[in-house]
Amino acid sequence: AQSVAQPEDQVNVAEGNPLTVKCTYSVSGNPYLFWYVQYPNRGLQFLLKYITGDNLVKGSYGFEAEFNKSQTSFHLKKPSALVSDSALYFCAVRGLSSGSARQLTFGSGTQLTVLP
Amino acid sequence: SAVISQKPSRDICQRGTSLTIQCQVDSQVTMMFWYRQQPGQSLTLIATANQGSEATYESGFVIDKFPISRPNLTFSTLTVSNMSPEDSSIYLCSVVLGQSRNYGYTFGSGTRLTVV
């Protein structure tokens, strides 16, 4: 079975400071990893994904994520946070092997608050 | 990426009634999924909508409560039957476009359901 853990329900950071939202995963074989963002009363917006290749993935709105296979992590980062980054962030995973479930499995979500 | 039109965007329904949610995609997609997001919670997969056959339901979800149709490769409906206040959630359609490893998972804007 595949699973995702987001250990922090809430992350607070001052505007202009770097931010990190943590994610660890469990999946059979190689993973297919995603980050999504959800603003209030909105659907999920895609930020970035990792399939293979460079461990540092760059995505929308200046976000990036680092895939670490040995630690089974895929933490979301941004060098300088904006107040407008305040939202709910979800990490998701699926396996790439032929026997893997085809749907995404989501973490519990992390509420990011950027303080002015 | 695919463009998804999900309707209605929100509704307030009386307990004991049913609501049908529509998901229309602007291109043929290989996979379609229905998720539920309960208040303050993460996304939980309800079922995979299969074109021309019965949907595949996840543990805890049954066809009598959440009947799903997918008559073609661009359209699906989810019905929430005999509603109770516990069914108040956001319901999201998700699609996968393409067969390659570079395909992405796109989400509709969601249907916010309140049962009173």
Side-chain angles (χ1 to χ4, degrees):
Chain A
Q2 54 196 36
S3 65
V4 176
Q6 291 181 244
E8 301 159 318
D9 292 335
Q10 176 84 37
V11 170
N12 296 328
V13 63
E15 187 175 29
N17 282 2
L19 69 86
T20 299
V21 183
K22 296 179 180 178
C23 170
T24 59
Y25 66 90
S26 175
V27 70
S28 297
N30 294 321
Y32 189 22
L33 293 156
F34 292 81
W35 276 101
Y36 287 88
V37 60
Q38 186 176 40
Y39 296 97
N41 301 314
R42 302 282 293 276
L44 263 67
Q45 296 181 31
F46 170 80
L47 279 179
L48 51 80
K49 67 182 178 186
Y50 171 84
I51 305 172
T52 186
D54 194 347
N55 289 343
L56 184 64
V57 179
K58 295 188 181 297
S60 305
Y61 313 121
F63 283 93
E64 57 189 29
E66 186 168 12
F67 170 64
N68 188 317
K69 188 173 184 177
S70 63
Q71 296 184 3
T72 61
S73 68
F74 190 56
H75 301 329
L76 182 70
K77 300 181 180 182
K78 186 172 182 179
S80 178
L82 301 172
V83 173
S84 58
D85 293 329
S86 299
L88 185 59
Y89 290 81
F90 289 100
C91 181
V93 70
R94 65 153 284 181
L96 282 174
S97 61
S98 59
S100 299
R102 297 178 298 170
Q103 71 275 11
L104 294 182
T105 297
F106 284 83
S108 55
T110 299
Q111 179 66 49
L112 172 67
T113 301
V114 181
L115 306 169
Chain B
S1 62
V3 176
I4 301 174
S5 174
Q6 189 173 334
K7 296 178 182 179
S9 59
R10 59 177 63 231
D11 207 343
I12 300 174
C13 300
Q14 297 291 322
R15 68 173 65 205
T17 63
S18 298
L19 176 71
T20 296
I21 302 167
Q22 298 181 359
C23 178
Q24 178 72 56
V25 192
D26 68 343
S27 54
Q28 294 186 348
V29 295
T30 53
M31 290 184 274
M32 296 182 80
F33 305 98
W34 286 99
Y35 286 85
R36 180 177 73 181
Q37 185 180 20
Q38 294 177 299
Q41 303 294 316
S42 184
L43 281 76
T44 301
L45 182 68
I46 298 172
T48 302
N50 300 310
Q51 192 262 328
S53 64
E54 188 173 293
T56 304
Y57 289 84
E58 297 300 304
S59 176
F61 297 96
V62 295
I63 188 172
D64 290 345
K65 176 67 176 177
F66 298 101
I68 288 170
S69 77
R70 189 181 172 192
N72 55 52
L73 293 177
T74 64
F75 184 77
S76 178
T77 66
L78 167 73
T79 299
V80 186
S81 303
N82 189 24
M83 288 183 284
S84 67
E86 292 71 33
D87 294 321
S88 298
S89 297
I90 300 173
Y91 293 85
L92 297 110
C93 169
S94 174
V95 304
V96 177
L97 183 65
Q99 295 280 3
S100 75
R101 295 175 74 197
N102 288 320
Y103 53 57
Y105 290 73
T106 304
F107 286 81
S109 54
T111 297
R112 184 178 295 271
L113 171 63
T114 302
V115 183
V116 297

